[in-house]
Amino acid sequence: MFNSIMPMPSDTDFMQQALALARKANDRGEVPVGAVLVRGQIVIGEGANCSIHDHDPTAHAEIVALRDAAKRVGDYRLNDSTLYVTLEPCIMCASALVHARVSRVVFGAWDLKAGGAGSIVDIFAIPALNHRVDVFGGVRAEECGSLLSEFFRARRS
């Protein structure tokens, strides 16, 4: 008897889910950034930028995903989780990820104007902070970056 085993989702698969959320943000006129928070292979939180709609400067995709996950699991500490986000976290979001005890961050496009994971400053490398986060950038970077470029190009025209 043949027993098929489903392959485990990869970083690329979870980034695809984050990209779907980014596209939904784009459709609402928000900066197209999406985020998915995963523990094991289970999505425990998701978010998309909604700062414009919610009149909330902190409503970045990462923060929305952290809030969603914290409510779902009943704890603000999100140990042993990985955040997949289409854009390098800003300084605010990088700091929140440290405080939430997220273990790993995987992002798509680099943010050369506001990135907090190495482009402007690397929050995750500050030795005095009490938690370490492993960070990997550039997953589906071209697709993530194109979505953002198209959004801002349309806004300027």
Side-chain angles (χ1 to χ4, degrees):
M1 182 166 145
F2 179 72
N3 190 2
S4 66
I5 298 174
M6 295 294 293
M8 298 293 269
S10 67
D11 288 349
T12 304
D13 296 326
F14 285 120
M15 187 62 75
Q16 181 59 39
Q17 291 182 38
L19 274 160
L21 291 165
R23 288 185 190 97
K24 288 180 182 178
N26 186 60
D27 293 344
R28 294 189 315 270
E30 299 278 353
V31 176
V33 179
V36 176
L37 191 65
V38 175
R39 182 178 281 158
Q41 298 297 313
I42 299 169
V43 174
I44 60 170
E46 57 184 29
N49 274 2
C50 55
S51 293
I52 297 167
H53 177 268
D54 291 355
H55 310 288
D56 180 355
T58 68
H60 291 193
E62 300 95 325
I63 302 295
V64 174
L66 289 173
R67 289 174 181 158
D68 184 38
K71 285 180 185 174
R72 287 188 197 193
V73 303
D75 193 349
Y76 77 95
R77 289 189 174 167
L78 301 167
N79 298 319
D80 302 317
S81 63
T82 299
L83 181 83
Y84 296 89
V85 61
T86 57
L87 181 64
E88 176 185 2
C90 70
I91 294 165
M92 172 186 70
C93 292
S95 297
L97 292 163
V98 170
H99 287 287
R101 309 295 197 276
V102 170
S103 299
R104 190 169 169 253
V105 172
V106 177
F107 67 87
W110 295 89
D111 187 347
L112 302 178
K113 294 182 180 178
S119 288
I120 300 298
V121 68
D122 190 351
I123 295 298
F124 302 113
I126 297 173
L129 293 177
N130 64 345
H131 178 71
R132 297 285 152 251
V133 179
D134 292 327
V135 182
F136 304 92
V139 176
R140 299 186 80 147
E142 188 174 320
E143 189 174 358
C144 294
S146 292
L147 186 60
L148 287 156
S149 295
E150 290 169 20
F151 174 82
F152 288 112
R153 189 176 309 115
R155 300 281 272 203
R156 287 185 208 106
S157 58

